[in-house]
Amino acid sequence: MNEGNPEIELERTPKKAVIPASGLLVFESHHAPGFSGQAKDTSSKFHLVIAGHSRWEGGGRRYFLGPDTLIHIPAGQAYSQADLPNDPVTVYGVHYRTELLSAALSSQLTALGMLSIDLGSANVNQARVVRSIFQEMLFEQGAGQEGWEMMLQSRLIDLAVRTLRLARRRGRNDLPAFEPGNDSTERVARYALRLKSRFFRQETIEEASKAVGLGRRQFTDLFRKVTGQSWRRYVLGLRLNHAAGLLAETERSVVAVAFESGFDDLSYFNHSFKTAYGCSPLAYREQRQVRLPVKSAASSKPVGDGEPSAGFKLRGIKGWFWTAEQYLEEIPFLPCLKMNFLMDCYGSMISSQSVLQPGKTGSNEWWKPMTEDRKEAYARIICACQDNDIKFCFALHPQLGSPRPLNPDRAEDVEQFYQHYAWAQSQGVQWFSICVDDTGWGVGGPAASGLGHARLVNTVLARLRDRDKTAQFTFCPVICWGDATNPEHRDYLEVLAREMHPEVYVFWNGDSIVTPRITRVAAESYRQVVKHRLFLWDNYPVNDGSPTLHLGPVSGRETDLHEVIDGYLSNPMHTQNQINRIPLATCADYASNPREYNPARSIGQAILRLAKTSEQQRVIKDLVETYPGFIVAGGGTGTNPVRAKFGNLVAVRDSRSSAQTFIHHLENILTRLATQFPKQFLSTRKTITEDISWMKKQIGSKK
C-alpha cells in the first residue's frame, strides 16, 4: 500500500531482520503488488496488518490476514506468505529475542505455535488497544528518549500477555493507571503533561476522565482550564504535530504516519492536517524534504525563440548592508540565473558606519559627499555589472536613520541629495531609486507626505533625464505593501498616482511586508490606486541581520503575478551571501517562468548548481532541510527554525535525549560543511556554531 508516498521502497519478498543490541526491533513494511516468499527467523515476531490482505501458511495451518489481524510467529517457525493480487499489505512488526520475555511467558507463546487473531472480532476495544501498543513502540524507538529500550521491552511484555489472553478468550481492556492525588486540577495537569508522550493511545474522553478519577463534565472543565483547549482539540494538536515531524523527517508513507500518530481514519487525518497546516500531508513533506535530482537541468521550462517573455521583464536582487566585496562576489553569479538587475542597499551606501546594521552606531549622512574610497568601491561594482550585462540601480534613502531627514521643499537639501545621483550617472548608471520605506507620514499627514515624495522623485528624475533621456527610476513609497484599501494608505497613494511622473516604477512588497503568500488580487488592487508600473520587492530570504538562515525555496507567489507586475527583486540575507545563492536560485527560477515554477524541483537544481560532488550535495541538502526558511517554517525574517525546534524538544517531558540528538545532528552538518567547503560559507558556519552553543547553554541551564 503506497499511495502515501510514491517514492517509498516497496518490498517484494520477506526480508531477514537484523536485531540490534537491545534485542528488539520495531519496523514497518510496505509490500509491492505480488509480494510473496518464505521465511524462517531465529527471532520471534509479532505482525499487525493495517492495510491489505494476505495468505499465510505455517506449521501445517493456513491463515487469511486482513486489517487489524495480529499474528505471532515463534522463533524457528518456517512459514510462507503471499499477498492477494492488487491488494498489497502494509504491516507493522516487532522482531524480538525470546529471552526478553520470562521463560514461562515465552514457552506458553511458543506452545501455541503460529497464532493469528482477528482483533476486530475479538473485542470491540482490542483492535485499538493493540494498535496503541505498536504506536507507542514506534514512537519510543524513533524518539530515543531516556530508557526507551526498557519502554519497548515493557510494551513487548504487554503485547505478549495480551496475545496470550486473547488466544484463551480472556479479552480485557485495561484503562491507563494514574497516580492518586487529592487535588483534581493537579491530577488533570499531570495527565495533560503525560499526554505529550502518550497522545497516540486510542483513548476515549470517558476513559481519560476515569483515569484521573473524575466525572466527564468535571474533567472537561478542568482540562480546558489547565490547557486552554478542549481535550479533543489538545489531543488532535499533539497528534498532528507528531505527524508533521514524521512527514518532514522520515520517508514513512502517509498511511504509516497517520497510524503512528494515533489516527485510525486516513481521510480524517488528511482533512485535519490540511485544516491545520493549509496543505496536504504530501505537500507538507515536499516543502520540507529536499530530493536531489540525478542530473542538472533547467529548473523551469525555457522560453523558445520568438515566444513572449514567460516571466518578469526585470529580475534581480538587492544587497542587505552588503560590503562592496559581497556585491562583487555575487555579480558574476546573477547571469547564470538569468537575472538582469541589481540594486544597492541604500543604508550602507552613504551611512558613515553602516548605521542601520544591528548593533552598529553611526548616522545616515545623505547630505555629505561620498568618500573617495566609497566611490572607488562602487565604481568597481558598477563596472562589474556592466561587464555581466546587469542593470545596476543606484538607490538612496534620505530619511531612515538620519539625524537630519531630507526636506523635499528645501532646495539645498534636494541639491545635496542629488549630487550622489549625478556621480552615479557619470559612471554610466541608467537606473536610479529613491526609497522612503520604514518611515512615517510626518506632521502633514498622508496626502502632504505623498506630495513631497512625488516632487522629490520628479525633480531628481528630470535632472537625470536632462543628461540622459533613457534614465529609468524606481520609487519605494512609505506604503509599499497591501491592497491600498486602508483609507490613509489610499490618500497617500492617490497623491502619488496624480503627481508622480507616470514612467516611475513603484516597489511593492506583496499582500504584507513579509508574507508567505503574494496574490494577484492584492497587486491589482494596489496598482489600480497608485496607477504606476509595479516592481515586486520580495522580502525573501532576507533575515534582517538576525542570526538565522532561510534556505528553502521561495513559494506562495502566484503564477500570474508577472502579468500585472514588471519586475522582481529578491531581498537577501545579510552576511551569508554565499549560501544565499541557494534560495536566490529558486527566486530567479520563479521570476524567469512563474507558471512552470516548481519549488521542489527548483531547490534540487539549486543545490546541484552550487555543490558539485555527492558529498557536497548531501550536506547542503541537510542544511536546507534544517533551515527551511520562514515561508515553510513560519514566523518572520528573524525566526530561527533550529532554535524553535530545539525549544519544542526540551518542552516535552523526558526529551533530553532527543534534544542532544538534534545538537549532534547540527554538529555533524557543521563538520561536513567545513570539510566539503573549507574556504566557503564562513558566515553560515558562524551562524550554525552560534546555534549549537545556544542549545548547549539551554541544556546546561536545565541540569
Side-chain angles (χ1 to χ4, degrees):
M1 183 156 183
N2 190 40
E3 67 266 31
N5 185 349
E7 298 188 20
I8 199 165
E9 182 180 356
L10 299 177
E11 296 183 8
R12 300 188 178 279
T13 59
K15 290 185 177 180
K16 187 175 182 63
V18 178
I19 308 299
S22 63
L24 191 154
L25 174 69
V26 190
F27 65 95
E28 62 176 301
S29 176
H30 304 267
H31 295 181
F35 178 98
S36 64
Q38 298 178 342
K40 181 179 179 180
D41 295 309
T42 57
S43 59
S44 297
K45 55 192 171 187
F46 286 98
H47 280 192
L48 176 65
V49 178
I50 61 173
H53 292 83
S54 181
R55 291 189 176 91
W56 289 48
E57 185 172 347
R61 301 172 64 183
R62 294 181 179 179
Y63 307 86
F64 183 73
L65 278 60
D68 289 334
T69 301
L70 177 68
I71 189 167
H72 180 259
I73 305 101
Q77 173 69 62
Y79 65 94
S80 63
Q81 61 184 115
D83 292 356
L84 296 191
N86 302 317
D87 194 15
V89 163
T90 297
V91 63
Y92 279 78
V94 177
H95 283 218
Y96 69 95
R97 295 196 180 102
T98 55
E99 56 265 29
L100 293 181
L101 302 179
S102 68
L105 181 55
S106 179
S107 62
Q108 290 180 72
L109 277 175
T110 301
L112 292 173
M114 194 164 162
L115 175 66
S116 172
I117 300 174
D118 182 358
L119 298 175
S121 61
N123 182 288
V124 69
N125 287 319
Q126 287 302 333
R128 64 184 179 86
V129 170
V130 172
R131 286 197 299 270
S132 291
I133 294 174
F134 276 88
Q135 289 165 345
E136 184 170 2
M137 295 178 81
L138 285 164
F139 175 82
E140 289 291 343
Q141 180 176 267
Q145 300 174 154
E146 290 86 349
W148 66 273
E149 297 97 335
M150 296 301 296
M151 286 294 296
L152 287 183
Q153 185 175 355
S154 70
R155 302 311 284 150
L156 172 66
I157 295 171
D158 187 353
L159 182 61
V161 171
R162 193 174 298 276
T163 301
L164 192 60
R165 290 177 176 178
L166 284 171
R168 295 173 178 175
R169 300 191 178 278
R170 291 168 53 191
R172 179 182 173 192
N173 179 34
D174 292 325
L175 291 174
F178 199 84
E179 58 266 32
N182 293 326
D183 185 81
S184 299
T185 302
E186 182 182 346
R187 296 205 307 274
V188 172
R190 291 201 304 271
Y191 169 82
L193 183 62
R194 181 173 291 180
L195 267 181
K196 290 186 176 182
S197 60
R198 299 172 63 177
F199 53 83
F200 38 76
R201 289 177 177 268
Q202 298 299 318
E203 186 178 41
T204 67
I205 194 169
E206 287 79 11
E207 292 168 342
S209 305
K210 191 173 181 180
V212 294
L214 298 173
R216 173 171 174 163
R217 184 179 184 85
Q218 185 182 11
F219 172 77
T220 55
D221 289 345
L222 287 176
F223 194 91
R224 186 181 292 275
K225 177 182 177 181
V226 167
T227 66
Q229 302 179 58
S230 70
W231 177 81
R232 295 184 188 280
R233 182 171 293 277
Y234 187 79
V235 172
L236 178 62
L238 291 174
R239 289 176 175 176
L240 289 173
N241 184 63
H242 182 65
L246 292 177
L247 288 167
E249 298 170 10
T250 75
E251 296 293 336
R252 293 173 190 159
S253 69
V254 172
V255 172
V257 167
F259 175 81
E260 185 175 336
S261 301
F263 292 91
D264 291 329
D265 187 326
L266 184 60
S267 62
Y268 175 65
F269 168 67
N270 286 328
H271 173 76
S272 300
F273 194 92
K274 188 169 185 178
T275 299
Y277 291 95
C279 62
S280 70
L282 279 180
Y284 184 89
R285 167 173 281 162
E286 187 177 74
Q287 291 172 355
R288 288 158 177 80
Q289 286 193 0
V290 177
R291 301 197 181 278
L292 294 174
V294 176
K295 60 181 180 179
S296 298
S299 297
S300 294
K301 179 181 177 182
V303 181
D305 293 338
E307 293 184 32
S309 173
F312 297 88
K313 299 173 185 176
L314 300 165
R315 305 174 299 277
I317 187 174
K318 65 176 288 293
W320 201 95
F321 300 99
W322 280 3
T323 64
E325 289 70 24
Q326 285 179 287
Y327 284 110
L328 292 170
E329 194 174 16
E330 299 311 305
I331 288 171
F333 187 67
L334 299 182
C336 302
L337 302 178
K338 298 182 180 179
M339 283 189 152
N340 56 16
F341 195 89
L342 171 68
M343 187 171 86
D344 67 82
C345 177
Y346 49 70
S348 58
M349 173 60 77
I350 56 174
S351 297
S352 60
Q353 297 181 35
S354 299
V355 58
L356 305 181
Q357 296 186 39
K360 298 290 185 179
T361 59
S363 62
N364 177 1
E365 298 170 337
W366 54 265
W367 62 91
K368 292 184 177 180
M370 281 192 288
T371 65
E372 292 303 314
D373 286 345
R374 181 158 291 171
K375 285 182 178 180
E376 191 276 332
Y378 278 90
R380 287 189 290 127
I381 292 171
I382 294 167
C383 183
C385 284
Q386 293 167 346
D387 291 343
N388 286 274
D389 293 325
I390 301 294
K391 297 176 178 65
F392 178 77
C393 182
F394 180 85
L396 294 178
H397 197 306
Q399 295 178 322
L400 189 64
S402 177
R404 181 186 144 188
L406 181 145
N407 182 351
D409 296 324
R410 192 166 181 261
E412 183 182 359
D413 280 9
V414 175
E415 184 63 32
Q416 290 173 334
F417 186 60
Y418 172 73
Q419 66 177 314
H420 305 297
Y421 291 86
W423 173 83
Q425 191 174 48
S426 72
Q427 302 300 307
V429 174
Q430 294 180 302
W431 280 81
F432 306 88
S433 183
I434 292 177
C435 301
V436 294
D437 54 314
D438 295 327
T439 58
W441 308 125
V443 295
S449 179
L451 182 60
H453 293 159
R455 288 175 177 172
L456 176 63
V457 169
N458 292 345
T459 298
V460 174
L461 176 59
R463 295 187 65 175
L464 290 170
R465 285 193 169 176
D466 284 343
R467 295 185 176 184
D468 179 3
K469 299 298 183 184
T470 66
Q472 299 292 321
F473 216 91
T474 64
F475 175 61
C476 187
V478 173
I479 302 303
C480 52
W481 74 93
D483 59 5
T485 56
N486 177 289
E488 284 194 339
H489 295 187
R490 194 177 189 91
D491 288 346
Y492 172 77
L493 295 173
E494 284 179 341
V495 173
L496 292 181
R498 290 194 309 270
E499 302 296 334
M500 192 165 66
H501 194 290
E503 294 182 10
V504 173
Y505 291 84
V506 172
F507 278 121
W508 180 68
N509 294 147
D511 298 44
S512 58
I513 297 175
V514 177
T515 176
R517 183 166 175 78
I518 300 178
T519 65
R520 176 171 179 156
V521 169
E524 288 181 328
S525 178
Y526 184 93
R527 190 181 67 167
Q528 187 175 7
V529 175
V530 78
K531 299 187 186 307
H532 281 71
R533 294 174 294 180
L534 298 186
F535 208 123
L536 178 59
W537 176 323
D538 192 351
N539 279 318
Y540 188 79
V542 63
N543 59 12
D544 287 332
S546 300
T548 187
L549 303 169
H550 303 300
L551 304 181
V554 70
S555 62
R557 281 65 181 137
E558 292 190 348
T559 59
D560 55 357
L561 285 176
H562 63 289
E563 295 179 0
V564 294
I565 300 176
D566 288 76
Y568 180 93
L569 188 76
S570 171
N571 199 5
M573 291 181 281
H574 176 28
T575 60
Q576 307 95 341
N577 58 289
Q578 292 180 340
I579 202 67
N580 188 83
R581 296 169 189 172
I582 294 289
L584 176 62
T586 71
C587 293
D589 192 18
Y590 165 77
S592 177
N593 196 340
R595 292 191 185 279
E596 295 293 330
Y597 176 68
N598 181 303
R601 178 180 60 197
S602 185
I603 193 67
Q605 291 296 333
I607 292 174
L608 260 61
R609 182 182 289 109
L610 190 65
K612 302 307 178 185
T613 69
S614 59
E615 291 82 4
Q616 290 178 339
Q617 292 162 9
R618 283 195 292 270
V619 68
I620 296 296
K621 170 185 180 294
D622 291 346
L623 184 63
V624 172
E625 290 178 342
T626 305
Y627 293 90
F630 61 80
I631 291 179
V632 168
T637 60
T639 300
N640 186 315
V642 164
R643 299 191 185 193
K645 179 175 179 177
F646 180 82
N648 291 334
L649 288 174
V650 298
V652 178
R653 186 180 182 185
D654 299 328
S655 62
R656 185 179 181 85
S657 176
S658 298
Q660 290 281 14
T661 299
F662 185 56
I663 293 175
H664 295 331
H665 169 69
L666 208 60
E667 288 176 327
N668 175 263
I669 290 177
L670 180 62
T671 300
R672 291 158 57 208
L673 191 65
T675 300
Q676 296 300 323
F677 300 93
K679 297 181 180 180
Q680 292 178 270
F681 309 128
L682 301 184
S683 59
T684 299
R685 282 147 57 182
K686 181 175 182 291
T687 300
I688 300 171
T689 300
E690 290 173 350
D691 282 344
I692 292 171
S693 298
W694 179 86
M695 289 188 290
K696 287 183 175 180
K697 183 177 180 181
Q698 299 303 308
I699 283 189
S701 67
K702 294 181 179 294
K703 288 183 178 179

